[in-house]
Amino acid sequence: MFRPGLGLLLACLALPAGAVIYKWSDAEGKTHYGDQPPSGAASQPFKPHVSPDAEEHAEAARRKAAAQALRKRVEQAKSREAVAKEQAAAEEETKRRAENCRRARGNLDLIQQANMRLTTVDSQGQPHELDVAAREAE
């Protein structure tokens, strides 16, 4: 069952701080509430009575919302740090791979330009010189 007083209390809590609520009666004697006074009827500012329990609940809700917002900001900061670390690691890996590639190309250029003899060591530890075909394969 919905109580009119509870609805008014909830409406009052939803209003921004410092907002004025107006109360007036129409020609039929019906009472109305609003955030702007009616143009044709006499109205008066209305200050609803808020129980201490409602104020405690509202304060608890504000504290809970602030704590949740703080947790969310902390989680976002941690997430940003993790993303930054991942990006730094990826950049470092890219640099490492580029350096390895540069060295390998330099070694290949030396081998191709100098026409050096290449040798390998077999399973018995004996060196064997590579012929042109084996050299190309390597």
Side-chain angles (χ1 to χ4, degrees):
M1 173 87 48
F2 186 80
R3 293 187 194 156
L6 182 60
L8 179 62
L9 176 65
L10 292 175
C12 292
L13 290 176
L15 291 174
V20 178
I21 301 173
Y22 294 96
K23 175 182 175 182
W24 69 92
S25 297
D26 62 9
E28 297 173 5
K30 200 173 192 184
T31 303
H32 298 275
Y33 299 92
D35 60 349
Q36 295 183 2
S39 58
S43 64
Q44 59 186 8
F46 175 73
K47 178 78 172 155
H49 173 70
V50 180
S51 70
D53 288 343
E55 289 179 5
E56 288 176 17
H57 289 299
E59 182 60 30
R62 281 191 289 275
R63 283 194 304 269
K64 183 178 177 182
Q68 287 175 341
L70 179 61
R71 277 194 299 273
K72 186 175 181 179
R73 284 193 302 270
V74 167
E75 288 173 7
Q76 288 173 344
K78 286 180 181 179
S79 176
R80 282 192 297 271
E81 283 181 22
V83 168
K85 285 181 181 179
E86 288 175 10
Q87 287 176 344
E91 289 174 5
E92 190 64 33
E93 179 68 14
T94 301
K95 288 178 185 177
R96 187 185 65 78
R97 287 181 180 210
E99 179 62 22
N100 286 347
C101 186
R102 187 192 62 74
R103 281 191 202 137
R105 286 176 193 247
N107 290 342
L108 180 61
D109 287 343
L110 280 175
I111 292 169
Q112 289 173 343
Q113 290 173 1
N115 203 7
M116 300 167 64
R117 292 189 295 179
L118 294 178
T119 59
T120 60
V121 178
D122 63 12
S123 60
Q124 281 86 28
Q126 298 298 319
H128 293 284
E129 189 173 320
L130 297 177
D131 61 2
V132 176
R135 185 176 172 169
E136 289 294 325
E138 287 291 320

